[in-house]
Amino acid sequence: MTLYSLLLHLFILIGPFAAGAIVIVNEQHPLPKTGNSIWNTQDDVQKALQDAEIIPTVIDDFLPSLLMNATWSSHHHTHADLGNTLEPSLLESAPSVKLMASKPTLWKKGVTYVIAMTDPDAPSRDDPKWSEFCHWIAIGVPTSSGISPTFSDEIMGYKPPSPPEKTGKHRYVLLAFAPANGTTEKLHLSRPSARKHWGYDVGNDGDKDTKGVREWAAENGLVPVGANFFYAQNKKH
């Protein structure tokens, strides 16, 4: 088994990182075999996004170059895992996000990575008139070692998932972005003017003309490089 294949199936180290930390990992720094969540392959991620209709509803089709894990410190086992269901009460603080590159050459020193979380099912999947709803935008820069965490600056503060009563399961999508031009300069990202529709005007037909993270990323010159997602719903179904 190659080092790459081995790393893709290693368990995540649940370290003492503060909420909202972004950890960058490359294959020169394998993760210890502890914890409960595992890295999935790029093909796994792409297929899961397609099956959940996140591709193309939320983002255009892409093959992730980075693998992503998001863990909430409120509970040791609370992590996004390509469509698992999480209890909203365990998601009150921003997650620690860990990214892994399949090969060191995919990293470019000094490039800023952007994490976003969006809900395309607001207020419900059957009636997405607020879609998409922006829950979080944060940034982080990998260190030269590729493994030290850097605490992310928030462009849009973290808003915990809080699906309304009787609206079924919501898809909460986490996306990692990088600048399309590969710049190492500081990014000057726009802040959405509102969480609903990511601040975009959708006219009078919001349920058919949803806007969100795809438009925001394009506006800011970002391309998707990684993704994960989970479901959450109100206890009063």
Side-chain angles (χ1 to χ4, degrees), residues 150-217:
T150 56
F151 294 101
S152 53
D153 294 324
E154 292 187 330
I155 304 300
M156 182 69 89
Y158 178 77
K159 184 174 179 61
S162 54
E165 295 180 9
K166 300 179 180 179
T167 59
K169 287 188 175 182
H170 288 229
R171 294 166 293 175
Y172 292 91
V173 184
L174 288 147
L175 289 159
F177 294 95
N181 61 5
T183 183
T184 57
E185 297 294 323
K186 181 179 179 180
L187 300 184
H188 299 282
L189 303 176
S190 63
R191 185 180 189 275
S193 61
R195 291 187 185 272
K196 291 180 182 179
H197 308 299
W198 281 62
Y200 290 103
D201 183 5
V202 297
N204 298 319
D205 199 15
D207 60 338
K208 291 184 172 62
D209 187 20
T210 61
K211 291 185 179 180
V213 68
R214 173 172 28 218
E215 288 76 17
W216 180 85

Side-chain angles (χ1 to χ4, degrees), residues 22-26 97-99 107 113 141-143 146-150:
I22 296 178
V23 183
I24 310 298
V25 183
N26 64 42
V97 176
K98 299 170 184 171
L99 303 174
W107 296 118
Y113 291 89
V141 180
T143 63
I147 194 169
S148 299
T150 56

Side-chain angles (χ1 to χ4, degrees), residues 70-80 86 90-96 117 158 161 174 230:
T71 303
W72 282 261
S73 59
S74 57
H75 195 277
H76 185 69
H77 305 304
T78 304
H79 60 272
L86 300 179
L90 301 178
L91 311 175
E92 291 298 317
S93 60
S96 293
M117 189 169 86
Y158 178 77
L174 288 147
F230 61 94

